[in-house]
Amino acid sequence: MDTPVKQDPLIARWLDMLWAERGASEHTRAAYGRDLLAFADFCDAQCGASLLAVGRAQVQQYLAGKHRRGSSARSTARALAALRSFYRYCLRQGLVQEDPIALIENPKLPKPLPKSLSEADVEALLHAPDTESAIGMRDRTMLELLYACGLRVSELVELSVSQVNLRQGVVRVFGKGSKERLVPMGEAAQEWMSHYLAATRPQLLPPGNSDACFPGRAGRPMTRQTFWYRIKHWAKVAGIEKPLSPHTLRHAFATHLLNHGADLRVVQLLLGHSDLSTTQIYTQVAKARLQALHRDHHPRG
């Protein structure tokens, strides 16, 4: 911890509380300590007051100054989180009568871009399973369907045979809130699904009836956790080192559609998003890809 923090008994006690009661890491406590010391310096230099004597106006003045100096929204949010935690501690200890942070809202942080895969990565992942085995064939079909339809992992593992219409080439999906949507499979996924249902799925089912499209043990639907481990296994086989999850293929589905000119509202319907704003984050991914291509290949990029 920074030496100045150690020299301030009140800040040191608060940071000890963060460790004892909340299990805050050394990194978090060091960052919070620096944030609070910076605010303490501001209070002393600009307001002639101690940490325990400032009000909401001084906090707002400090945050406005950070903004003018170009601090990011994330940096400001962390500083505000430190101040909020500190003054709540002081209020509990009876050191202040009012919390100067109480009515101050957190800055809006930009939504992080979804992690995605390149089309080459997706191809490598799809070709990783050994389709000579029943398990490999099942996993290949699941990956093909996940990428072709942009399904949520829960929608995939809970899929029943009765929801698959090979003749029309669509899957009937029940998403969040049991909202139903029809999603086209595409030729490749349709061919894999047709072969899997006819030749492979019967090998994975024990005697008895089961409507699970992708059975795990004892014919029951595969769990989300099991499929997550299967994806990690095949990603390793494919040599993909970037972080990967079942949701990554859903992001890749949306991003690649937009990169190839799909309409945003069509992607919204395929993903099952009730609000278009939820889908719009994928345009940022597509825009980032276009900017990278322009930068790498344009003479004046």
Side-chain angles (χ1 to χ4, degrees):
M1 198 68 63
D2 292 344
T3 301
V5 173
K6 292 182 179 179
Q7 293 174 349
D8 189 309
L10 176 57
I11 297 179
R13 289 199 304 273
W14 165 64
L15 293 172
D16 286 342
M17 180 278 298
L18 290 179
W19 173 79
E21 297 183 11
R22 304 184 187 178
S25 68
E26 181 73 18
H27 175 77
T28 297
R29 287 184 291 134
Y32 275 24
R34 288 192 297 270
D35 287 333
L36 200 58
L37 283 172
F39 181 61
D41 289 342
F42 166 82
C43 293
D44 181 54
Q46 302 295 324
C47 310
S50 70
L51 284 172
L52 301 181
V54 298
R56 187 179 306 118
Q58 287 77 29
V59 175
Q60 291 173 327
Q61 184 182 351
Y62 173 70
L63 295 176
K66 283 179 66 66
H67 178 72
R68 285 194 303 271
R69 291 190 297 273
S71 292
S72 67
R74 196 166 300 279
S75 172
T76 302
R78 191 195 66 194
L80 190 55
L83 294 178
R84 196 180 303 282
S85 173
F86 174 75
Y87 282 109
R88 284 177 178 173
Y89 168 77
C90 291
L91 198 62
R92 292 198 305 271
Q93 298 296 315
L95 300 174
V96 296
Q97 297 301 312
E98 293 183 0
D99 180 358
I101 314 295
L103 298 180
I104 297 179
E105 296 183 356
N106 290 325
K108 291 184 178 180
L109 298 177
K111 292 183 179 180
L113 296 180
K115 293 182 175 64
S116 188
L117 291 175
S118 68
E119 293 182 39
D121 284 337
V122 171
E123 285 296 322
L125 181 64
L126 294 179
H127 285 86
D130 176 15
T131 54
E132 295 298 318
S133 70
I135 294 297
M137 184 66 183
R138 178 200 65 189
D139 290 357
R140 172 67 184 267
T141 306
M142 294 182 78
L143 291 172
E144 289 278 356
L145 195 65
L146 190 66
Y147 177 59
C149 300
L151 303 181
R152 299 180 179 92
V153 62
S154 57
E155 296 169 348
L156 178 72
V157 297
E158 295 170 6
L159 196 69
S160 64
V161 175
S162 59
Q163 291 173 245
V164 179
N165 189 322
L166 289 173
R167 184 174 58 83
Q168 295 183 357
V170 297
V171 177
R172 185 162 48 96
V173 180
F174 297 97
K176 291 183 178 180
S178 298
K179 292 180 180 178
E180 181 180 344
R181 69 184 191 277
L182 290 177
V183 185
M185 285 186 276
E187 291 184 7
Q190 190 174 350
E191 289 178 6
W192 282 101
M193 180 65 83
S194 178
H195 182 78
Y196 164 77
L197 291 177
T200 306
R201 181 174 172 274
Q203 301 176 41
L204 301 173
L205 288 171
N209 295 324
S210 173
D211 195 33
C213 192
F214 300 109
R217 293 182 179 180
R220 292 190 295 270
M222 187 185 298
T223 65
R224 297 174 57 187
Q225 291 78 9
T226 297
F227 186 60
W228 183 74
Y229 284 119
R230 301 305 299 165
I231 278 198
K232 289 193 70 175
H233 168 72
W234 295 124
K236 186 175 181 180
V237 171
I240 300 173
E241 297 181 356
K242 62 187 66 174
L244 194 67
S245 73
H247 220 63
T248 309
L249 279 179
R250 179 170 161 88
H251 296 322
F253 161 84
T255 304
H256 297 170
L257 278 175
L258 290 169
N259 283 344
H260 286 275
D263 182 84
L264 185 62
R265 290 195 177 275
V266 172
V267 177
Q268 176 192 3
L269 291 172
L270 294 174
L271 288 172
H273 287 162
S274 57
D275 189 345
L276 184 61
S277 63
T278 309
T279 314
Q280 283 175 332
I281 190 170
Y282 291 102
T283 63
Q284 299 179 42
V285 182
K287 180 181 178 183
R289 172 63 177 155
L290 290 174
Q291 288 175 332
L293 287 171
H294 185 275
R295 182 179 62 249
D296 294 342
H297 301 290
H298 194 278
R300 293 184 178 271

